[in-house]
Amino acid sequence: MTATAVVPAAPETVPAEALRERVQVLESRPGVREVLLVTSGGLPPADDEHAVIVLSVGGGGFAVTCPDGVPRVQGGLPLSQRERLATSIGGPVMALSPPSDKPVMDREWRMSERHVVDLQAAVDWVKTQWPLAKTWVLGVNNGALSAAVATASIGDLAGAILLACSDEAFDQPQKSDQMRMLAVRYRRDASLTCATVARTWGRKTLVTVHDERAQHAESTYSEAANRPRFSGKDFQVVDVVARWILTGMAPDAIR
């Protein structure tokens, strides 16, 4: 079951003709719905196009904000960052909501088989819309665990991007040896175990964010906008993510 509606785009970041914003409703399990906020470019798809599914912070829900008096739906990453990422990779970026039967997701749910079914439904829909695209999952904080679970369970993913993730998320295995994983964490949060560090060589890449201005040096979150704030380095993080998706290369640190 599907339906579409228009979500206003942010005109100050990308020309209106270049990007489209819409809402896609999926029935992931019988009687259960989930929502995708789709940011996609107006250009024809390329053979090497990429698509990114964003999994949100906290309980995984969406929030409505009115920064300039116009209501906009936010989920996982703010609209300006979704637009920047979509433009950089030349493909769609979609924020995925929790399912209608679990509006606030906890750790137990994110590790469950029903959550994997919901994630698979989103991946399958992306594949029908952009069959040539490599599909990635990008998780923010708690959503990073969902992204890691997705790559451990769903074989037709290119890999995962984990922002402000836990060790548990970073340590999840990948179902396919072809998958890649990128983790972006604050320096203080990146004190990984020896076993985890050993696995960063190869298919897993770790980037640390340095912020000498903040003594606590840890990720902060705006629950109202349902997104992380990397102390003013948000767009740098997005650019690193885009470069890694396209080339497989990333710096050791963002300063």
Side-chain angles (χ1 to χ4, degrees), residues 2-245:
T2 61
T4 60
V6 175
V7 177
E12 69 277 9
T13 55
V14 180
E17 67 271 15
L19 288 170
R20 297 189 304 272
E21 284 285 324
R22 63 189 174 107
V23 173
Q24 183 74 33
V25 181
L26 306 177
E27 186 175 51
S28 57
R29 288 174 280 121
V32 176
R33 296 181 180 182
E34 59 186 3
V35 175
L36 282 166
L37 303 182
V38 184
T39 303
S40 59
L43 298 176
D47 289 348
D48 57 350
E49 186 178 7
H50 298 270
V52 177
I53 299 173
V54 179
L55 307 170
S56 299
V57 66
F62 293 162
V64 178
T65 62
C66 303
D68 53 5
V70 179
R72 293 191 177 92
V73 183
Q74 303 284 3
L77 293 175
L79 179 58
S80 59
Q81 291 179 42
R82 297 202 309 272
E83 288 178 332
R84 189 182 186 100
L85 183 57
T87 301
S88 297
I89 66 173
V93 175
M94 295 143 287
L96 178 64
S97 79
S100 56
D101 63 343
K102 190 68 174 179
V104 179
M105 298 186 292
D106 54 19
R107 178 192 173 278
E108 182 179 1
W109 177 266
R110 291 181 187 277
M111 300 291 289
S112 70
E113 292 183 4
R114 284 179 292 175
H115 187 41
V116 172
V117 171
D118 295 338
L119 295 170
Q120 180 73 67
V123 173
D124 290 345
W125 181 82
V126 171
K127 292 294 186 183
T128 64
Q129 301 297 307
W130 296 277
L132 299 178
K134 296 178 181 178
T135 305
W136 306 83
V137 282
L138 184 155
V140 183
N141 188 239
N142 295 351
L145 180 57
S146 293
V149 167
T151 56
S153 309
I154 301 173
D156 52 356
L157 287 169
I161 300 97
L162 314 180
L163 303 185
C165 66
S166 65
D167 286 354
E168 180 181 24
F170 193 76
D171 283 340
Q172 294 294 316
Q174 282 73 63
K175 188 176 180 67
S176 168
D177 289 341
Q178 302 303 312
M179 291 179 182
R180 295 189 281 123
M181 180 179 286
L182 171 70
V184 181
R185 300 167 53 146
Y186 262 105
R187 181 172 53 181
R188 176 176 171 180
D189 299 332
S191 54
L192 305 176
T193 64
C194 292
T196 298
V197 170
R199 285 195 291 275
T200 63
W201 302 340
R203 292 180 293 112
K204 292 190 177 184
T205 303
L206 175 64
V207 176
T208 57
V209 178
H210 292 248
D211 183 12
E212 286 72 19
R213 298 169 302 171
Q215 294 300 316
H216 58 282
E218 59 187 41
S219 311
T220 55
Y221 296 88
S222 169
E223 289 298 338
N226 201 22
R227 64 182 178 88
R229 290 181 286 111
F230 279 101
S231 297
K233 296 183 173 66
D234 305 87
F235 287 122
Q236 288 177 259
V237 170
V238 170
D239 292 344
V240 165
V241 168
R243 177 188 176 193
W244 178 83
I245 287 174

